[in-house]
Amino acid sequence: GQNIDQPTEMTATEGAIVQINCTYQTSGFNGLFWYQQHAGEAPTFLSYNVLDGLEEKGRFSSFLSRSKGYSYLLLKELQMKDSASYLCAVRDSNYQLIWGAGTKLIIKP
Amino acid sequence: TAGITQAPTSQILAAGRSMTLRCTQDMRHNAMYWYRQDLGLGLRLIHYSNTAGTTGKGEVPDGYSVSRANTDDFPLTLASAVPSQTSVYFCASSDGTGGSGANVLTFGAGSRLTVL
């Protein structure tokens, strides 16, 4: 079966750096996405990786290793507003999105 | 503000009753999707539509139906609600159906449905 694994919850300190990991086993691979979802709100797009390596976008970076079935989202200079759930999703060979359950990130002052 | 509008925001429904969740987008996106989100699970695709006039089944289609009469509207109907359909429902759209591009999803704010 297809599977996306990410930690259920993480805690970090304001101003620090946090890395959220995502491992996947899917039928084929056509890209990996990270979305941010604040409590009670809609998911919003953060990043897209289709080739191996690091994609940087301001305070957020996303890394992909297709051979290891692994990605991470790196958040720098954490702010209280970064408290949210972070969803990892992989597009499989049928171009269907397979979603992880999300990682709830708690930022403490 | 351009985007997706869902209605109602929340609803309590008696088991056995029917319900239609409305979804309208003003971005002229070709593809639209309905997902359900349950605690501890990833988003699960219920139904999708790649273009007006066509629909397809997702991962969990049973008990739900959709229609796509035009580009903008994609309603989701529960013909006879059951308690297991208690969930948060998200409508989403994208301007493509896959291919080489990112095909980013834009989500509506969600509809929280409780079936008693």
Side-chain angles (χ1 to χ4, degrees):
Chain A
Q2 307 203 89
N3 197 48
I4 310 283
D5 285 317
Q6 46 182 136
T8 303
E9 188 175 296
M10 299 182 70
T11 302
T13 304
E14 188 177 17
I17 299 173
V18 71
Q19 177 175 310
I20 302 174
N21 295 326
C22 171
T23 58
Y24 62 88
Q25 293 175 306
T26 56
S27 301
F29 178 86
N30 282 296
L32 184 143
F33 299 80
W34 285 96
Y35 282 76
Q36 180 189 58
Q37 185 178 24
H38 286 100
E41 298 184 9
T44 56
F45 171 74
L46 284 179
S47 69
Y48 169 67
N49 295 70
V50 66
L51 299 176
D52 291 349
L54 189 68
E55 294 280 344
E56 297 185 82
K57 192 184 295 185
R59 294 188 299 112
F60 292 9
S61 303
S62 57
F63 172 82
L64 174 67
S65 169
R66 289 172 295 170
S67 63
K68 295 181 179 180
Y70 168 70
S71 172
Y72 67 72
L73 181 69
L74 191 71
L75 292 73
K76 303 176 184 176
E77 301 169 15
L78 286 170
Q79 302 175 9
M80 297 304 293
K81 68 178 182 178
D82 297 330
S83 291
S85 289
Y86 292 85
L87 314 181
C88 175
V90 172
R91 194 160 62 196
D92 69 10
S93 57
N94 293 320
Y95 291 93
Q96 296 297 316
L97 278 175
I98 312 301
W99 295 83
T103 298
K104 182 178 181 180
L105 178 63
I106 300 168
I107 310 296
K108 295 186 175 180
Chain B
T1 303
I4 295 180
T5 302
Q6 289 186 234
T9 303
S10 66
Q11 182 75 43
I12 299 174
L13 188 66
R17 300 297 294 269
S18 66
M19 176 77 193
T20 294
L21 303 181
R22 300 183 298 279
C23 175
T24 300
Q25 55 111 351
D26 61 4
M27 298 171 286
R28 308 303 294 174
H29 283 173
N30 285 320
M32 296 189 75
Y33 313 84
W34 273 105
Y35 285 94
R36 60 178 289 172
Q37 187 174 42
D38 302 290
L39 195 63
L41 299 177
L43 288 163
R44 292 183 291 170
L45 183 65
I46 304 170
H47 285 287
Y48 65 93
S49 169
N50 287 333
T51 190
T54 69
T55 63
K57 294 182 179 180
E59 179 186 357
V60 288
D62 293 344
Y64 307 94
S65 62
V66 292
S67 61
R68 187 86 184 277
N70 56 60
T71 297
D72 299 342
D73 300 301
F74 191 44
L76 176 73
T77 297
L78 290 69
S80 180
V82 295
S84 62
Q85 292 178 310
T86 294
S87 187
V88 180
Y89 291 86
F90 285 100
C91 180
S93 70
S94 67
D95 61 4
T97 57
S100 59
N103 196 30
V104 172
L105 296 181
T106 299
F107 286 86
S111 295
R112 181 175 296 274
L113 181 66
T114 302
V115 182
L116 301 176

